[in-house]
């Protein structure tokens, strides 16, 4: 959702300015194009150079610093902005925004932009509770601006209280949600997408397990792609990858845990994507204590795990069900067979014997098999690009 978006971060003079630097980094990492405007007070806490390097662009601090004769810089920045984030927002900027005061680069640009505004107040608890601040917040809410609730915790003043700036992850998440709310052209807006990812772990004892080479990358890219198309995404993950923002992640280990989490979200799901490599078998006995070495060979008996995709195929009503097939030979033939056996709506098949496809790679090459359709071959590309194509084909079929 943030990919390619023009985000302007308006930094005002609170002690939490240093955290705004991390937020800029997160926006950039999420693919946004970021500009930063700072008040004079903000520059006393952190040098503009820090934000310049993180945003890869000169920081705006002076309304009258008109470098380009072809445009007026605060109007140019206001028009360029697709999302305005005021962070940390001082009691002073809240008052200015509530009363239409435009007396520096930050307040003037905020007056001139029509972009949605996300405001992140951060201040001493008494400043926050001051009736003037509360009235200003109420006014800003009545303008339709989104205001984040400050966190409670250890304040810079050395005592516990309300007024802390929420962590950058939470703000990035709120920015994402605001962009979804204010976008009208997202094909998966209001839809639930359920994704599984990673290789399940089947315990032998507390320190040993059976697993496979799946990294979870394909499932994570699918979850992110669905999120960027406006969906509410639940990712049931047996992977150790960093949680993507804007996605509800449920961590699991075993196939049975994965099944329980998936089934808990199955009814509401519109699209289900089973990208996890679920272990077919698990040890019959799972020792409570570490197994001791003996002088003889040992045997580990395995029993079958539930077939999650097939169960979903039987239960589905509205869900568009996508399965994955990792094969090393006769890929198309096995995938078509899997499509029928599991009653899936699509099988994404990949040849895991290929050097640049399948487990643990950043690229993939897949064949998409659907009932009554010719197979679609997608040549080697990043998993991110392939995830987008898979979802686009699903959306076209679903006619959402
Ligand atoms: C050390 C220090 C910390 C401050 N922290 C905050 C703060 O967290 N929140 C706030 O609203 N004001 C804070 N202030 C006060 C603002 O910096 C002051 O109101 C300033 O005029 C705000 O200007 P600006 O809104 O143009 O950035 C702090 C001031 C100092 C000296």
């Amino acid at each position: 959702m943030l990919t390619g978006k023009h985000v302007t971060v308006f930094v005002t003079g609170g002690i939490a300015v240093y955290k705004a630097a991390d937020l800029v980094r997160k926006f950039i990492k999420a693919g946004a194009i970021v500009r930063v405007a700072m008040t004079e007070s903000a520059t006393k806490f952190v040098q503009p150079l820090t934000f310049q390097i993180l945003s890869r662009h000169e920081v705006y601090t002076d309304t009258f610093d008109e470098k380009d004769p072809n445009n007026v810089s605060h109007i140019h920045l206001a028009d360029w902005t697709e999302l305005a984030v005021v962070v940390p927002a001082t009691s002073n900027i809240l008052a200015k925004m509530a009363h239409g005061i435009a007396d520096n680069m930050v307040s003037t640009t905020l007056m001139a932009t029509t972009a949605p505004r996300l405001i992140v107040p951060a201040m001493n608890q008494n400043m926050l509770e001051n009736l003037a601040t509360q009235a200003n917040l109420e006014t800003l809410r009545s303008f339709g601006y989104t205001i984040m609730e400050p966190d409670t915790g250890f304040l810079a003043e050395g005592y516990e209280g309300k007024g802390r700036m929420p962590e950058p992850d939470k703000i990035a998440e709120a920015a994402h949600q605001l962009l979804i709310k204010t976008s009208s052209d997202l094909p998966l807006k209001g839809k639930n997408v359920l994704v599984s990812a990673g290789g399940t772990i089947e315990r032998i004892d507390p320190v040993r397990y059976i697993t496979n080479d799946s990294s979870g990358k394909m499932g994570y890219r699918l979850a992110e792609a669905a999120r960027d198309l406006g969906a509410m995404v639940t990712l049931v993950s047996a992977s150790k990858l960093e949680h993507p923002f804007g996605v509800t992640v449920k961590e699991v280990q075993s196939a049975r845990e994965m099944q329980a989490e998936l089934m808990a979200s199955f009814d509401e799901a519109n699209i289900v994507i089973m990208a996890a490599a679920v272990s077919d078998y698990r040890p019959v006995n799972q020792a409570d204590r570490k197994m001791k070495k003996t002088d003889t060979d040992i045997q580990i008996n395995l029993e079958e795990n539930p077939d999650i995709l097939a169960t979903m195929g039987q239960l589905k009503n509205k869900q568009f069900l996508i399965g994955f097939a990792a094969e090393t030979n006769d890929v198309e033939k096995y995938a078509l067979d899997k499509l029928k056996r599991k009653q899936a709506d699509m099988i994404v098949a990949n040849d895991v014997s290929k050097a640049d496809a399948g487990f643990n790679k950043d690229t993939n090459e897949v064949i998409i098999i659907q009932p009554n359709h010719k197979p679609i071959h997608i040549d080697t590309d990043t998993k991110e690009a392939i995830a987008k194509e898979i979802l686009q084909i699903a959306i076209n079929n679903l006619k959402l």
Side-chain angles (χ1 to χ4, degrees), residues 221-236:
R221 300 296 87 83
L222 280 156
E224 288 161 355
R227 170 199 71 193
D228 291 349
L229 291 165
M232 286 164 288
V233 183
T234 303
L235 174 63
V236 180

Side-chain angles (χ1 to χ4, degrees), residues 297-345:
D297 293 344
I298 61 162
Q299 282 194 334
I300 298 171
N301 290 325
L302 302 176
E303 64 188 339
E304 226 183 323
N305 263 329
D307 186 333
I308 307 176
L309 185 60
T311 310
M312 288 176 164
Q314 282 160 19
L315 293 176
K316 74 180 162 106
N317 40 65
K318 66 174 186 297
Q319 295 83 356
F320 188 86
L321 185 57
I322 305 176
F324 270 69
E327 305 291 350
T328 51
N329 54 293
D330 296 317
V331 178
E332 225 173 287
K333 180 170 154 269
Y334 285 125
L336 190 60
D337 176 56
K338 190 166 184 177
L339 181 82
K340 288 181 190 149
R341 275 188 296 114
K342 315 274 172 155
Q343 299 177 54
D345 299 294

Side-chain angles (χ1 to χ4, degrees), residues 144-290:
Y145 302 165
T146 302
I147 317 249
M148 280 190 81
E149 197 61 27
D151 276 353
T152 300
F154 194 72
L155 300 175
E157 294 79 2
Y159 53 85
E160 290 278 319
K162 187 170 176 180
R164 275 172 62 88
M165 180 179 134
E167 292 309 312
D169 272 339
K170 237 164 124 179
I171 302 170
E173 168 88 38
H176 167 75
Q177 296 301 346
L178 180 56
L179 282 172
I180 288 181
K181 200 171 125 191
T182 50
S183 303
S184 53
D185 54 352
L186 292 168
L188 291 179
K189 192 169 171 174
K191 303 288 172 198
N192 293 307
V193 174
L194 180 59
V195 184
S196 71
T200 56
I201 285 178
E202 304 297 337
R203 290 258 158 224
I204 297 168
D205 72 10
V207 295
R208 302 179 179 98
Y209 53 78
I210 299 171
T211 190
N212 57 62
D213 277 332
S214 169
S215 61
K217 285 179 186 167
M218 192 67 239
Y220 274 58
R221 300 296 87 83
L222 280 156
E224 288 161 355
R227 170 199 71 193
D228 291 349
L229 291 165
M232 286 164 288
V233 183
T234 303
L235 174 63
V236 180
S237 170
S239 158
K240 294 273 170 289
L241 293 175
E242 194 184 328
H243 289 192
F245 72 85
V247 167
T248 305
V249 182
K250 313 251 180 177
E251 286 190 15
V252 294
Q253 280 207 338
S254 69
R256 285 186 295 176
E257 282 169 25
M258 179 167 272
Q259 183 181 37
E261 282 295 357
L262 285 166
M263 292 324 293
S265 300
F266 185 73
D267 283 349
E268 305 88 60
N270 299 94
I271 300 177
V272 180
I273 310 174
M274 286 292 295
V278 183
S279 183
D280 293 324
Y281 296 94
R282 65 173 179 274
V284 174
N285 296 310
Q286 297 176 21
D288 298 340
R289 294 179 179 185
K290 185 181 170 211

Side-chain angles (χ1 to χ4, degrees), residues 18-59:
Y18 73 98
K19 286 206 230 172
D22 192 28
L23 178 65
V24 169
R25 202 180 60 84
K26 286 200 188 311
F27 281 149
I28 295 277
K29 210 173 151 208
I33 306 165
V34 180
R35 299 284 181 266
V36 178
M38 299 175 80
T39 61
E40 198 189 333
S41 315
T43 65
K44 298 206 190 314
F45 291 87
V46 172
Q47 290 282 323
L49 183 62
T50 303
F51 288 97
Q52 176 178 311
I53 290 164
L54 291 171
S55 66
R56 298 164 203 156
H57 198 274
E58 202 178 334
V59 172

